[in-house]
Amino acid sequence: MASTTTSILNSVFLFMIIFLGSTLADFNNEFDITWGDGRGKVINRDLLTLSLDKASGSGFESRNEYLFGKIDMQLKLVPGNSAGTVTAYYLSSKGSNWDEIDFEFLGNLSGDPYILHTNVFSQGKGNREQQFYLWFDPTADFHTYSILWNPQRIIFSVDGTPIREFKNAESIGVPFPKDRPMRIHSSLWNADDWATRGGLVKTDWSQAPFTASYRNFKADACVVASGKSSCSGSAASSSGNQAWLSEELDITKQERLRWVQKNYMIYNYCSDSKRFSQGFPPECQMA
């Protein structure tokens, strides 16, 4: 009897391994390396790396376009002296009136913290920057960076902790990204004219190549193909749980958001009175 039970448990365990393994994203199916002349690589289907040297950086984009979703990616950033480099991970649509939701990681000298730069563009207009230090070393291990994008709000999170919420403020005349499908993009590039201390610290090319790594991509999202969304009609009923379409911050996550913004936020456009001497943007009333 004991051996039978052990056999059953082993079979269940093996099934779980196979099942869980099958849910990991295959980067070859999900993304295309779009530039970099071989500096972007997919390794064993579940790891992607981007590299930067003096000749070029590199980048990739998703094959799918999304209109709303909950998107996770684990990143391990460029270690050591990363000054002058920028690792960008963002959603973006096409055209002159594009929408965009940005994570940008600004490198720094060894021992100095990365700056996490966030922005939201709607109808081609951005200038909604918030910047943060992180409460861990983002180069020592992989960490999960998430974007929740639904018709009511955009929430940026790190390892499940929200760091920023951008609410839909169309009621007071602020455009919100809700009509244009976006692809996921990421790039590693040289921006030493501005990225580190306003361009005072330049990239040390003796440290090249610089490499950022990606794994465990997950998208619970509305995929748009040929003008149709997977979240509409019969496709929606077969695509599973879409609770994220109306998700908002509960009390615990609101407290975590306040903790991050109190202790780790280093720039907020809604507090920059010199920049907005004629009055803050209207959405700042909702912050």
Side-chain angles (χ1 to χ4, degrees):
M1 180 69 179
S3 61
T4 302
T5 302
T6 301
S7 177
I8 292 172
L9 288 173
N10 286 338
S11 297
V12 170
F13 182 66
L14 179 60
F15 171 78
M16 288 177 67
I17 292 175
I18 295 171
F19 175 77
L20 290 172
S22 70
T23 65
L24 295 177
D26 184 337
F27 278 102
N28 286 314
N29 293 335
E30 297 284 352
F31 297 97
D32 291 316
I33 307 293
T34 49
W35 62 286
D37 194 23
R39 292 171 180 83
K41 298 176 181 178
V42 175
I43 302 168
N44 295 331
R45 300 189 301 175
D46 59 357
L47 179 70
L48 189 153
T49 62
L50 295 180
S51 292
L52 163 69
D53 56 35
K54 198 166 186 177
S56 177
S58 50
F60 65 84
E61 72 174 19
S62 63
R63 294 185 176 181
N64 287 328
E65 288 186 297
Y66 305 97
L67 187 60
F68 306 126
K70 190 173 187 178
I71 294 167
D72 301 332
M73 182 81 82
Q74 289 194 330
L75 279 74
K76 184 162 73 169
L77 300 179
V78 174
N81 183 0
S82 58
T85 70
V86 172
T87 305
Y89 168 58
Y90 59 102
L91 288 161
S92 183
S93 63
K94 297 178 179 179
S96 58
N97 289 322
W98 79 99
D99 297 331
E100 189 169 312
I101 304 169
D102 288 344
F103 278 115
E104 289 187 324
F105 303 89
L106 312 185
N108 216 330
L109 295 168
S110 297
D112 289 343
Y114 263 81
I115 292 175
L116 172 50
H117 175 101
T118 66
N119 205 349
V120 176
F121 288 75
S122 50
Q123 298 183 12
K125 181 183 180 301
N127 299 322
R128 301 183 177 106
E129 302 91 346
Q130 290 184 357
Q131 294 183 336
F132 306 84
Y133 289 142
L134 294 165
W135 50 96
F136 53 83
D137 178 358
T139 73
D141 203 350
F142 286 89
H143 292 270
T144 303
Y145 301 90
S146 306
I147 295 170
L148 170 67
W149 169 36
N150 65 32
Q152 297 83 36
R153 57 188 46 82
I154 295 164
I155 299 171
F156 297 78
S157 297
V158 178
D159 289 338
T161 294
I163 64 169
R164 177 177 186 178
E165 181 179 26
F166 183 82
K167 295 179 181 178
N168 186 330
E170 289 179 303
S171 61
I172 55 174
V174 180
F176 185 82
K178 64 179 181 60
D179 298 316
R180 298 171 183 82
M182 297 198 255
R183 294 186 192 273
I184 301 164
H185 299 259
S186 191
S187 58
L188 174 57
W189 50 291
N190 178 44
D192 67 4
D193 56 334
W194 65 271
T196 307
R197 299 182 188 173
L200 293 176
V201 182
K202 300 300 181 182
T203 303
D204 180 359
W205 293 112
S206 70
Q207 303 296 312
F210 305 97
T211 301
S213 302
Y214 304 74
R215 73 180 188 189
N216 289 355
F217 167 70
K218 181 182 179 183
D220 293 327
C222 303
V223 176
V224 176
S226 303
K228 295 182 179 180
S229 170
S230 62
C231 293
S232 61
S234 58
S237 60
S238 61
S239 61
N241 184 11
Q242 295 171 1
W244 53 265
L245 264 172
S246 58
E247 186 173 334
E248 57 187 297
L249 295 176
D250 60 23
I251 292 176
T252 300
K253 289 195 172 182
Q254 289 176 30
E255 291 174 351
R256 294 293 289 172
L257 175 65
R258 286 192 291 269
W259 173 78
V260 171
Q261 296 194 341
K262 177 182 177 182
N263 294 288
Y264 295 97
M265 179 186 283
I266 59 173
Y267 178 80
N268 181 6
Y269 76 109
C270 283
S271 301
D272 193 340
S273 56
K274 291 184 178 179
R275 181 180 177 188
F276 298 106
S277 58
Q278 303 302 311
F280 290 110
E283 69 270 16
C284 293
Q285 303 170 22
M286 303 178 65

